[in-house]
Amino acid sequence: GSIMNTWLQWFRRPTFVGIAANLGFILPALFQPDLFDAVLGPGSSALSYAWLANAGLVLAIATIFYIPAGKDPVKFRLYAWLSVLGRAMASSWWLWQNSRWDLPGPIQGFWVMDGVFSLIFLVLLMMGFRGNKAADSQVTDDTIETPASSTDLTRFGWVLRITVILELAFAIPGVLIPAQVAEWLREGAGFRIDP
């Protein structure tokens, strides 16, 4: 493993505590969302704009982690592969929500963008690395791959940059003007908006 000084070791510990704390929120939010009504009290649906803004913020934070992979998928290989996994998870989640809640309007198709980009990312990364092992005899770790196709990795970087722009186009309004985003979603679903 890496040699870390005391400060970095202490950085790791609260990071994992924070991950555990986030999971305490994430798991109920995914699998038992009604629990929040009980915890936050009746009528917490009035906080829907706050929840939409929070979703926009979380999307913006997740999107920031795609940027290093888009800039240099060789150097930030882990982020590149996690971008494939993250997109596949998001697409699967939206498909699950469609079957669970029979989502109306534009929300019904949210799985498409993540699903398509996940497949594009997967193909480009697989073609870019193609399983070639490092040829350098100095390298003793045979799991290290060298890029087989810089063209495919460049394409991956550009596609990833496009998705960052698309996601921020949704995330920023979700954070700054959640009421208007909610109105757009309701109108797309065919709901009548009272003035």
Side-chain angles (χ1 to χ4, degrees):
S2 300
I3 297 173
M4 286 183 269
N5 64 30
T6 304
W7 295 106
L8 293 177
Q9 289 176 10
W10 275 102
F11 168 81
R12 290 178 63 214
R13 291 174 184 134
T15 297
F16 283 105
V17 170
I19 289 169
N22 284 355
L23 286 174
F25 178 84
I26 292 167
L27 295 175
L30 286 176
F31 299 107
Q32 290 294 324
D34 295 339
L35 181 65
F36 288 104
D37 233 13
V39 172
L40 299 174
S44 61
S45 60
L47 298 173
S48 61
Y49 293 152
W51 288 114
L52 183 58
N54 182 60
L57 178 62
V58 170
L59 182 61
I61 292 168
T63 300
I64 288 169
F65 287 99
Y66 291 146
I67 293 172
K71 184 176 179 187
D72 189 345
V74 175
K75 183 177 179 182
F76 300 104
R77 181 174 294 129
L78 178 61
Y79 287 113
W81 287 109
L82 286 175
S83 71
V84 175
L85 178 63
R87 294 284 182 185
M89 289 172 62
S91 181
S92 300
W93 186 82
W94 281 112
L95 281 170
W96 176 42
Q97 297 314 300
N98 277 343
S99 67
R100 190 175 179 195
W101 304 108
D102 192 25
L103 297 174
I107 299 173
Q108 201 172 49
F110 275 15
W111 68 273
V112 173
M113 184 176 85
D114 285 312
V116 167
F117 280 122
S118 177
L119 290 174
I120 292 171
F121 290 176
L122 179 64
V123 168
L124 290 173
L125 282 179
M126 287 176 64
M127 295 300 291
F129 286 110
R130 288 196 195 127
N132 286 359
K133 302 296 179 194
D136 186 355
S137 60
Q138 301 283 334
V139 178
T140 58
D141 183 358
D142 64 357
T143 62
I144 296 175
E145 295 175 323
T146 56
S149 170
S150 60
T151 302
D152 288 321
L153 293 178
T154 301
R155 288 177 184 149
F156 167 81
W158 279 108
V159 172
L160 192 53
R161 287 183 192 104
I162 290 167
T163 64
V164 165
I165 291 167
L166 289 173
E167 286 191 343
L168 289 177
F170 180 81
I172 292 169
V175 171
L176 300 177
I177 51 171
Q180 286 82 358
V181 173
E183 184 174 328
W184 172 75
L185 291 172
R186 278 192 219 111
E187 285 175 354
F191 294 125
R192 191 172 140 254
I193 308 295
D194 293 324

